[in-house]
Amino acid sequence: MSQAHEASQRGRVAHRGGGARLLLALVALMLVAAGCGAKGDSVAETGGGSDGGTQVATGGDSGGQADGEADFGTLKAPCGPGEGKIEKSEAGSKGTDKLYIGVNSDKGADIRPGLLREFWDSSNAYIDWCNAQGGIAGLQIEPVDLDGQLFNVAQYLPAACNDVFAMVGGGSTFDNLQLQGPGNLKECGQLDMPGFTVTKEKAEATDTYIAAVPNPANVRPAAFFDYLAQEYPKEVGDLASVYGDLDTIRFVMDQTNAVLTKLGKPFGLGQEIAYAAQGQDFKLTSQSLKGSGATMGTFIGEPSNFGLLLSSMKEDGLKIPMFAESNNYDPLLLEKGSNPAGEVLIRLPHAPFEEADKYPAIQKFEELMAARKAEDPQTKTAALGIQSMSAWLLFTEAATACAEQGDHIISHDCIREQVGKIGEWTGGGLHSTTNPGTNEPAKCIISMKVDGDKFVRAFPEWGSKDATEDGYYCPKKNAVVTIDVD
C-alpha cells in the first residue's frame, strides 16, 4: 500500500491498495442503494445507502402488537379475499391461477454467499403472512427465485420477462445489467418494484421500475444537513470527506458534496481523504484527517471500516464530530468504534429498531421475520428488508385497488396508475414519507448517535417541536435538493 499523499487543490488524499478488485467492484456498487442500515453481521463495503449483507437478530417475540393480525401498521388489512384477476397477456408462462412474482437477489454468489438474501427472506415472510390472510385480492402469491449470483443477472432475465407477472421486493448489486443485452427488463416491459435501486443507470431508468423508497441520482435528501447546520454551525464550516477509493464510492461522495455546495453557508467543503476499500491502515487515514485541520468529517463506507477509523481517531486524540449514512447503523461499527472520542451521527430514513415499541409497523416487520426464521433458521432479518416489505405493501395496495374496479383486472398499467394515486407512502409506518409515483425520496429523518456501545436517538427529541411527523424531523425548506450529476 502506498503512503498517503496530497493530490489536489482541495487536498485529495489517496491511500491505494491492492486486493481483489472484483470484490471491490461488488461492494462499491452497493453504495448507491438508498435507505437502510441494519442490526447485525455484515462484511460488505458499503457507503451512502443500504447494506446488502447485514443480519439482525429479532430477539424472538416482538413484544405484542398495536395493530390487528390482519393489519400492517397504519395499513388496514392490506391482504385478504377478493375477486382479483390477472391480465392474461402479462401473467407469464406459469399461468393466472396465482400471482407468480419474481424476487431477485445475489444470494448464490460464490464470492459472497447469501448476498442480498434478506430480499428473498423478507419477501417470503410477507408472502407467508399475506397468503394466510387470503392473498392479494383473493389471489395467492407464489415467489419465483431469481438469483443473479452477483455477475449472472442475465441468467434470470428470461424467467423475469417470460415466467412471472412482476418482480417485487428484490434487488441486484449490478442492477444496471438488468437493462443490458437482448431480452432485458426494458425491452420486455416487465413491471419491477424493487427493494432498492443501486446503480446510477437503474436509478435513472424510471420507466422500468417503481421504488417504494426511491433513490434518484439527482434528487437527494437534505434534512439531515439542516439538522447538522443547526446543531454544529461552526463545525460544518470545514468538512472533510473520508471515502473508499473507488469510482462508485467517489460518486456517492460527490453527490453528498454537491448537496452541501447547493445548500451553501454555513457548510464549507475541505479535504477529501480516500482510503483503500479493502486492507486499509486506518491509522494513516486518521492522521490525514487530523492533519487536514477539519472541524467535522463525513465517512462514506462500510460500518466495520468506520469503526476502525473511529478507533484510530480515538488513539490519535482526534475529537471531531463525524456523520455517516444509514448503512452505518450497524453493530459492526460498534465492534471497533464504540465509545468514540467525538460524536458520531447517522442519518436514518426509517424507524429505528431500538424504538420498535413506538412504531407498530416495525413491530409487525420483526414479528413476520421471526415467524419466517422459526421455519428457516438461516433467515436474514435485516433493515434492508424494510424496503423490501414496503415494496410488497405498495404492490399489494395498488393491485388490490385494481381488483376492486369493475373488471377486477390486475395489470401493469393499472398498478402504475394506482401507485400514482396513492401518492405519499410510508409502508404503513416502516419509514419516512416518500412518493413512489413521482420517484421522490424521503424528506424526513431521524438522527441516531453512538452512545458508548449502543445506538440512541440524537434528534429530534420525541415530543419536541422538531419531531413533526411521527418522531421524524421534516424541515420546511431543503428537505430534498436537486443536483447536477455526471
Side-chain angles (χ1 to χ4, degrees), residues 96-119:
T96 59
D97 61 319
K98 296 181 181 179
L99 273 167
Y100 292 95
I101 305 294
V103 180
N104 59 306
S105 71
D106 293 318
K107 57 187 175 65
D110 290 336
I111 196 171
R112 275 289 318 279
L115 181 63
L116 301 182
R117 175 175 171 161
E118 51 266 55
F119 283 141

Side-chain angles (χ1 to χ4, degrees), residues 201-323:
E201 294 89 337
K202 179 74 172 184
E204 292 182 340
T206 54
D207 58 334
T208 67
Y209 73 91
I210 301 170
V213 184
N215 179 39
N218 65 336
V219 181
R220 308 305 299 164
F224 184 60
F225 304 121
D226 188 78
Y227 155 63
L228 294 179
Q230 293 181 47
E231 190 69 18
Y232 306 91
K234 295 181 180 179
E235 290 87 343
V236 297
D238 187 355
L239 281 168
S241 303
V242 182
Y243 70 101
D245 189 21
L246 291 165
D247 288 345
T248 308
I249 301 177
R250 189 177 298 113
F251 175 72
V252 176
M253 179 197 67
D254 289 342
Q255 284 181 307
T256 299
N257 288 348
V259 172
L260 296 172
T261 300
K262 185 78 173 283
L263 293 174
K265 292 183 178 181
F267 296 103
L269 298 179
Q271 200 167 72
E272 295 173 1
I273 303 170
Y275 64 87
Q278 184 167 302
Q280 173 67 25
D281 180 356
F282 281 95
K283 292 181 180 179
L284 291 176
T285 313
S286 176
Q287 291 165 8
S288 297
L289 183 56
K290 188 172 184 178
S292 74
T295 52
M296 193 171 199
T298 179
F299 179 86
I300 302 173
E302 71 161 308
S304 57
N305 278 347
F306 194 16
L308 291 171
L309 173 61
L310 292 174
S311 179
S312 294
M313 290 172 62
K314 189 174 182 179
E315 291 177 3
D316 288 340
L318 180 54
K319 189 177 181 180
I320 63 172
M322 297 289 293
F323 67 89

